[in-house]
Amino acid sequence: MKTRGWLCIPIVMFVVLLSSCTRGTLEMTDELNKPLPLNKTKITIGSKSMTEQYLLLKMTSLVLRQHGYPVNEMVTLDSDAVRSAMEAGVIDLYWEYTTTARQYYQKQAPIYDADEVFRLVSESDAKKGIIWLPRSQFNSSWALLMRDDAAKQLGIRTISDLARIFKEKRLTMKFATNDEYQQREDGMKRLQDIYDFVVPKNQIVAMDTSLLPQAVKEARVDVAVGLASDSRIKDHHLVIIEDDRHLFPPYHAAPVIIKKTLDQNEEISELIEPITEVIDNNNMSELMYQVDILHKDVTQTARNFLLQKHILQP
């Protein structure tokens, strides 16, 4: 998930070519260096600096290259950086999240209906020459995390269960989240309002997002507000507590593309659509697990997935 908002810096500083990255999982493969026809437009695909975005970038790049497009891959630091790069015409295409666009770029209140927020962000961005292609079922949203054994022992399956147990039996439970979530409109205050319980401030521990799963695993806290797409959930034997009252706004991933680029290359929408149709939380989490935990190459991981789904040809 995303850093949901950071200060923007000049494009020349935040754009990093994947080929210059030091992480082995981002190295270019021979397939990406094959000679290509000269009659196709070069497409620059962007990415934020996180594994799920690297995977989406690689999937898109592999598909476009197989259909003859020269591709330039660029990684930016965060949401503001990649958006600024697109608005400046440096990037043609990248994958964005609906509520990130709604709150951080368009400065509007969150909407909790997935189809409605997609419609509104699409309409707003279309006025700026940015086109949202159909969204996926991959929802990289917030989630409440617990240790699987602890949740089973306490009989907690939903956040309603958690609120009830907290009020009746476990008043000393500690919650962890990052500083941003404590201040957000859709953050801790909304969690407590929607589920009708109050966590004392001295039982809320603030820490970096990257540390949240480990804190739950080590039982330093009982519950963490983390990311549903975090690959360490599986590795740390954690469980996502069901959001039965629809607390968290949707962050569905969708490809966005400059209108001019799409007008000149209309088939791109059809070429990318099979990726959109197959990715979801389950398979994206598994792919991130392979890259982050098993340290598999991100390009090869993306390629194997597309081959399994018959989106790429061997």
Side-chain angles (χ1 to χ4, degrees):
M1 180 201 152
K2 297 120 299 283
T3 51
R4 304 294 194 191
W6 295 92
L7 292 177
C8 182
I9 62 176
I11 293 171
V12 294
M13 295 182 64
F14 64 63
V15 174
V16 182
L17 286 173
L18 280 182
S19 57
S20 68
C21 288
T22 57
R23 288 187 58 188
T25 55
L26 292 178
E27 290 177 353
M28 305 289 283
T29 63
D30 290 340
E31 179 169 345
L32 298 186
N33 293 319
K34 289 179 181 178
L36 294 165
L38 299 178
N39 61 342
K40 293 280 191 176
T41 303
K42 177 178 282 189
I43 305 297
T44 299
I45 307 174
S47 167
K48 307 177 191 185
S49 294
M50 51 189 178
T51 304
E52 65 193 59
Q53 284 269 308
Y54 300 150
L55 285 161
L56 293 171
L57 178 152
K58 288 296 186 179
M59 290 182 200
T60 308
S61 177
L62 288 163
V63 167
L64 292 186
R65 289 188 67 91
Q66 186 163 87
H67 287 85
Y69 285 90
V71 172
N72 186 33
E73 299 178 353
M74 291 184 177
V75 173
T76 64
L77 294 179
D78 51 36
S79 295
D80 285 341
V82 73
R83 176 69 173 207
S84 296
M86 172 164 274
E87 291 181 350
V90 176
I91 288 173
D92 296 292
L93 167 68
Y94 78 102
W95 288 73
E96 189 51 271
Y97 308 92
T98 50
T99 295
T100 300
R102 172 75 178 173
Q103 289 191 267
Y104 284 97
Y105 310 147
Q106 300 171 8
K107 308 301 181 185
Q108 300 295 317
I111 291 176
Y112 296 86
D113 180 274
D115 293 329
E116 181 68 4
V117 67
F118 178 78
R119 181 183 69 81
L120 290 172
V121 297
S122 300
E123 290 178 357
S124 179
D125 273 353
K127 299 173 184 176
K128 297 181 179 181
I130 297 174
I131 304 302
W132 284 68
L133 302 181
R135 70 170 175 86
S136 69
Q137 291 300 314
F138 174 43
N139 181 16
S140 186
S141 186
W142 303 97
L144 261 61
L145 311 177
M146 290 187 68
R147 283 174 44 172
D148 187 38
D149 58 349
K152 288 177 179 177
Q153 181 181 359
L154 294 169
I156 295 174
R157 186 180 61 83
T158 67
I159 303 180
S160 291
D161 294 334
L162 172 64
R164 175 177 52 80
I165 294 296
F166 181 83
K167 288 187 290 187
E168 294 177 358
K169 301 179 181 179
R170 291 296 184 99
L171 294 175
T172 59
M173 291 178 78
K174 288 186 177 181
F175 288 66
T177 186
N178 59 24
D179 285 320
E180 177 188 334
Y181 193 77
Q182 293 192 56
Q183 308 301 323
R184 293 172 61 94
E185 182 177 344
D186 61 336
M188 283 299 297
K189 182 179 184 302
R190 178 173 167 83
L191 166 63
Q192 294 173 88
D193 288 345
I194 292 293
Y195 285 98
D196 190 29
F197 73 117
V198 177
V199 183
K201 289 185 178 180
N202 64 358
Q203 291 172 223
I204 302 176
V205 181
M207 63 182 67
D208 188 88
T209 304
S210 64
L211 302 176
L212 292 168
Q214 189 71 21
V216 180
K217 175 186 177 183
E218 295 174 352
R220 288 185 281 127
V221 297
D222 300 284
V223 183
V225 184
L227 302 178
S229 58
D230 197 310
S231 59
R232 292 164 297 175
I233 293 172
K234 175 181 177 180
D235 186 61
H236 292 355
H237 304 289
L238 308 183
V239 64
I240 294 176
I241 306 304
E242 180 186 337
D243 178 18
D244 54 311
R245 296 187 186 176
H246 308 293
L247 161 70
F248 300 112
Y251 284 84
H252 286 97
V256 294
I257 186 170
I258 296 294
K259 183 179 186 299
K260 180 179 178 181
T261 302
L262 184 60
D263 287 344
Q264 295 173 350
N265 306 274
E266 294 182 356
E267 70 172 344
I268 286 179
S269 177
E270 294 180 1
L271 296 178
I272 297 174
E273 189 169 0
I275 303 174
T276 304
E277 290 176 345
V278 299
I279 59 171
D280 57 27
N281 282 56
N282 290 332
N283 54 40
M284 284 297 292
S285 179
E286 175 59 30
L287 294 174
M288 286 185 279
Y289 178 82
Q290 292 180 35
V291 173
D292 288 336
I293 306 302
L294 303 182
H295 306 295
K296 293 186 177 181
D297 179 82
V298 66
T299 304
Q300 193 60 45
T301 300
R303 185 176 187 278
N304 288 342
F305 175 74
L306 295 178
L307 287 170
Q308 291 169 5
K309 298 297 183 180
H310 307 291
I311 296 172
L312 274 188
Q313 299 302 315

